[in-house]
Amino acid sequence: MSRVTTMRKMMTALALLGLAGCTGTTGGSYSASSQYAHEREMILAGSGPAAGGAQGASALAAPAVSSQPLSAMGTTAGAGNGSAVASQTDAMLNATAAAPEAVNEIGISEENNFEAVGEQRSREEDAALIAANRARYEQVQPTALPQREATGPNIVAYALNSTNPKGVQIYQRGSLFTESRNARNCSKFPSPDMAQRQFLASGGPQKDPKALDPDGDGYACSWDPAPFRKAAAAANG
């Protein structure tokens, strides 16, 4: 048994003795217990006058602790009150010792504990419960996926139908298609895909009123059809 565990048990015993003695005994016994606990803490902290010495060990010998329950210890003045407190303490300790342990800290159902289930119902009752649960079971059949509604130009179909790589000019563009205007207009879109949809919806690739395709390759801003073409080629084997 570790030193910490021993000290905890000793301090617990002293506390219980103090609880019974503070109401039924004279002030001398209570003071002796308090003085012992104080000096013991000083020794453990290394600051007591008798730390490590044989004299201190003999001087601080633990007071005798009775093995009888607190309710059986007789007191002098105020014996009735002390006995009642001791009886309540014994009852609490006995109830704590007899309490069953929980399945776990998060409270898993006792349905996972075969012994607990066996105490609650018979095999026949358990079989009837399982049958009732199966009768309530409902299997939902899968249905067809809903058709996606058209929300604008299909950039996937456009990528697969076009053949020229990015950067190769196919369409004519005017002199107003400057790089600064292209950069300013492209920055308004959160993604290249949305810029390409807007480009096609505005008349692209033949027309480009918003200057999203200054090089005339048919692809707005930084949009590139190559990833779509690679995915289709991999899918077709």
Side-chain angles (χ1 to χ4, degrees):
M1 184 179 297
S2 64
R3 180 179 179 182
V4 176
T5 303
T6 304
M7 289 305 304
R8 286 179 177 176
K9 289 189 173 183
M10 182 179 296
M11 296 304 295
T12 301
L14 290 174
L16 293 176
L17 286 175
L19 178 63
C22 66
T23 57
T25 60
T26 61
S29 299
Y30 181 75
S31 300
S33 299
S34 300
Q35 180 66 18
Y36 170 78
H38 175 68
E39 294 181 2
R40 184 62 179 173
E41 291 178 358
M42 293 179 61
I43 292 177
L44 292 177
S47 59
Q55 181 179 359
S58 60
L60 293 179
V65 179
S66 174
S67 60
Q68 298 180 356
L70 296 178
S71 57
M73 295 181 180
T75 58
T76 55
N81 190 13
S83 178
V85 174
S87 300
Q88 294 178 3
T89 305
D90 288 339
M92 293 176 62
L93 293 175
N94 294 334
T96 303
E101 296 183 359
V103 177
N104 60 19
E105 296 180 355
I106 59 176
I108 294 180
S109 172
E110 288 187 344
E111 292 296 325
N112 295 326
N113 188 333
F114 294 103
E115 294 182 359
V117 172
E119 294 176 357
Q120 295 176 1
R121 56 180 180 265
S122 63
R123 292 186 177 181
E124 292 75 12
E125 293 173 340
D126 192 57
L129 179 61
I130 294 175
N133 290 335
R134 289 177 177 175
R136 290 192 297 266
Y137 180 78
E138 181 180 357
Q139 185 174 4
V140 179
Q141 297 298 327
T143 59
L145 295 176
Q147 296 295 326
R148 179 179 298 178
E149 297 181 0
T151 57
N154 191 333
I155 60 175
V156 177
Y158 180 80
L160 300 180
N161 293 331
S162 61
T163 57
N164 62 302
K166 183 175 178 59
V168 176
Q169 185 175 2
I170 301 296
Y171 307 97
Q172 295 294 329
R173 298 294 184 242
S175 59
L176 298 177
F177 291 83
T178 61
E179 293 183 2
S180 60
R181 184 186 178 196
N182 173 258
R184 182 174 64 255
N185 292 340
C186 287
S187 65
K188 299 178 181 179
F189 298 95
S191 67
D193 288 348
M194 295 187 67
Q196 182 67 17
R197 291 190 183 95
Q198 181 61 39
F199 168 66
L200 296 177
S202 300
Q206 290 80 9
K207 298 179 181 180
D208 185 18
K210 297 183 179 297
L212 301 178
D213 179 26
D215 57 1
D217 60 359
Y219 312 132
C221 302
S222 59
W223 188 79
D224 191 350
F228 300 96
R229 296 170 183 172
K230 290 181 180 179
N236 295 330

